[in-house]
Amino acid sequence: MIRYPFLLLLASLLLGHLATAQTTPRTLPPPAPPVAPVPTGPLTLQQALQTGLRQSLLVQTGTLEVERQRALTRTGYDLPRTVVDYQYGQISGPLGDHSLNIVQQSALPGLYAAQRKLLEGQVLTAEQRTRQQRRDLTRTIQGTYYELLLSYRRAALLRRQDSLYRRAARAARIRYQTGETNRLEQVSAEARSRELQNRLALTLTDIQVQQQQLGILLNLGQSAAIDTTANAIAALSPTDTLGLSAEANPTLALLQQEIEVSRRQTRVEQLRRLPDVRVGYFNQTINKERGFQVAQAGVAVPLLGGAQKNRIQAARIGEQAAEAQLQYATAQLQGQLSVLRSQLTRARTSLAYYEQTALPQARLILNTAEKSFRAGDIEYVEYVVNTDPAWQIQQAYLDQIRQYNDLALSLQSLIGSDAQ
């Protein structure tokens, strides 16, 4: 008569399953390196990106979600609870007897392996979402940084303009006092100077607001100071001109990963149609006589399989929806890429025109008008009329840089490399 061997075998099987579930190799990354201190001086663009990506609460939230999904991968081999029943009483006669019944139900190993793969796929999905968050944050930081640079350039332009008009206003006032001109020229000069001072004050306010916005993006707890000597024109690297792909675009990578997760979900639902296995062990005393044992084995089969068939069908529809979404997104992004490249070519051509032709002409106009006004060849009103196109050219150049930067950063966000 079998006494304990089957009980030992059942216990070893259960412990083996639990050990497998608990000793599954971890997928957590190695410990992160020590956090670098936040730069204290004016930030370069690279320093701003590194600080923002390291300290952003949004990115930290995404990273924690990845860690949560990694922790869940160790739940793929999750056996149902073991049922243990114990009885004592007059079971088979007037004497008090004991009975112990242990039952364990389990799905086939293929289902647990499929569930583990599904959970691992969800980890990759969370990683792609975090990558997309980092790309979006990078685009926002770059846009704010370059906009702040242009605001400094506008302020410098207004200061130069105000300095010239102040000198012209003083000259007009002296001419009026000596009777060389009428009061209209003096009033016009003072009004023009006050207008420029007002525009400069508004621009300085914009700079303060943009510094605060950048500080919020970087999670500094204060306004951010930047390197104002940096190039205000966004630079494009060779990798920013490559074609559209999942490696370059996190949106496509995320959609491709969602397709893979949908396929793994379908596989899990298909395996759930298979029967579960049940094993058990029963031990009882009869009239206090020991040694009555029974081994149990069986399968658990659903009587109605319609519900699971519908789940499989829904999972397959989910695959089709994910594939359709990827096709739609690819077509949309390809169209955006084509338009961006055309607009970027025109913007680059316009910048070249300003740098090679318009700006030198503007400087020539200003120098000539300044010399003529000092020599008394033209009056203040004529001086303002002649120099105004030169200032408009320089302002238009800054506006063109802003348009070019917006296009260049959009292109980088679409097909560029990830910021580190």
Side-chain angles (χ1 to χ4, degrees):
M1 182 179 297
I2 301 175
R3 288 185 176 272
Y4 300 107
F6 185 80
L7 179 59
L8 294 175
L9 176 61
L10 178 61
S12 64
L13 289 174
L14 294 177
L15 292 175
H17 277 295
L18 293 175
T20 302
Q22 295 297 327
T23 61
T24 302
R26 299 185 64 185
T27 58
L28 292 175
V35 177
V38 179
T40 55
L43 297 172
T44 64
L45 177 58
Q46 187 62 30
Q47 289 174 332
L49 291 174
Q50 292 174 350
T51 302
L53 293 176
R54 184 176 62 247
Q55 298 194 168
S56 169
L57 296 179
L58 178 62
V59 174
Q60 292 177 18
T61 301
T63 303
L64 290 175
E65 176 61 21
V66 172
E67 297 303 322
R68 187 180 76 87
Q69 292 295 335
R70 282 178 177 159
L72 288 175
T73 59
R74 297 189 290 277
T75 67
Y77 297 97
D78 187 13
L79 290 174
R81 295 186 178 184
T82 303
V83 178
V84 180
D85 292 326
Y86 172 77
Q87 293 180 338
Y88 174 77
Q90 297 174 340
I91 301 174
S92 302
L95 300 179
D97 290 317
H98 303 266
S99 72
L100 176 66
N101 187 32
I102 303 175
V103 178
Q104 176 66 56
Q105 181 168 324
S106 172
L108 295 177
L111 176 58
Y112 293 119
Q115 289 180 162
R116 176 62 184 261
K117 288 183 178 180
L118 174 60
L119 292 170
E120 289 173 347
Q122 292 173 348
V123 173
L124 297 178
T125 300
E127 289 177 346
Q128 291 298 337
R129 285 202 179 96
T130 302
R131 180 191 173 199
Q132 189 174 41
Q133 291 173 345
R134 290 173 61 89
R135 181 68 65 91
D136 294 341
L137 179 61
T138 298
R139 171 69 175 85
T140 305
I141 291 175
Q142 288 175 326
T144 305
Y145 192 96
Y146 280 114
E147 187 63 31
L148 183 53
L149 275 176
L150 287 177
S151 293
Y152 277 112
R153 299 294 192 276
R154 292 189 182 94
L157 179 62
L158 288 172
R159 287 191 179 98
R160 292 197 303 270
Q161 190 176 0
D162 180 60
S163 177
L164 290 178
Y165 283 158
R166 278 176 180 268
R167 290 202 301 267
R170 285 196 296 269
R173 185 164 52 252
I174 293 173
R175 289 184 182 183
Y176 171 71
Q177 292 173 352
T178 58
E180 298 180 19
T181 184
N182 55 33
R183 181 169 176 77
L184 177 60
E185 181 174 307
Q186 178 193 1
V187 173
S188 299
E190 293 177 353
R192 186 71 174 179
S193 178
R194 291 194 180 98
E195 178 189 357
L196 288 173
Q197 292 174 16
N198 180 64
R199 289 170 57 186
L200 178 59
L202 292 176
T203 303
L204 294 178
T205 301
D206 291 339
I207 289 176
Q208 293 178 353
V209 172
Q210 290 163 359
Q211 287 177 326
Q212 292 173 356
Q213 291 174 340
L214 185 59
I216 293 173
L217 287 173
L218 305 185
N219 195 25
L220 296 178
Q222 61 184 8
S223 298
I226 68 170
D227 179 13
T228 58
T229 63
N231 189 359
I233 301 178
L236 290 176
S237 64
T239 57
D240 297 329
T241 58
L242 300 177
L244 188 65
S245 65
E247 290 76 16
N249 186 275
T251 299
L252 294 184
L254 175 60
L255 292 176
Q256 285 187 356
Q257 181 57 33
E258 288 180 346
I259 291 176
E260 180 61 26
V261 169
S262 298
R263 291 171 180 168
R264 296 183 184 185
Q265 181 66 52
T266 301
R267 181 58 178 165
V268 169
E269 298 300 339
Q270 290 172 337
L271 291 174
R272 281 177 178 164
R273 294 186 62 186
L274 300 177
D276 291 350
V277 296
R278 291 167 56 91
V279 294
Y281 170 76
F282 178 76
N283 188 302
Q284 179 180 347
T285 63
I286 299 179
N287 292 326
K288 294 191 175 182
E289 183 179 351
R290 302 186 179 188
F292 298 94
Q293 305 176 69
V294 177
Q296 301 176 355
V299 295
V301 181
L303 296 179
L304 300 176
Q308 193 58 34
K309 288 181 179 179
N310 290 331
R311 293 190 184 97
I312 295 173
Q313 182 181 4
R316 287 173 175 166
I317 294 174
E319 286 185 45
Q320 297 173 3
E323 291 173 354
Q325 190 173 7
L326 175 60
Q327 294 175 0
Y328 173 78
T330 301
Q332 292 293 314
L333 293 177
Q334 286 285 11
Q336 292 179 19
L337 180 60
S338 178
V339 172
L340 275 175
R341 283 176 171 166
S342 298
Q343 292 177 335
L344 197 59
T345 300
R346 291 197 299 268
R348 191 180 293 113
T349 302
S350 180
L351 280 181
Y353 157 73
Y354 278 103
E355 292 169 354
Q356 299 172 10
T357 304
L359 290 179
Q361 289 178 344
R363 287 192 290 268
L364 180 60
I365 291 172
L366 290 174
N367 291 334
T368 303
E370 179 74 10
K371 292 178 181 178
S372 299
F373 181 75
R374 289 183 176 181
D377 297 334
I378 59 175
E379 295 183 354
Y380 177 81
V381 175
E382 187 177 359
Y383 170 75
V384 171
V385 171
N386 289 331
T387 57
D388 192 60
W391 298 117
Q392 291 181 3
I393 288 174
Q394 296 184 58
Q395 180 63 45
Y397 174 63
L398 295 179
D399 293 339
Q400 186 60 53
I401 292 178
R402 180 182 185 184
Q403 181 182 2
Y404 174 84
N405 287 347
D406 185 65
L407 294 171
L409 296 180
S410 296
L411 183 66
Q412 287 180 337
S413 180
L414 197 60
I415 60 174
S417 57
D418 294 326
Q420 301 298 324

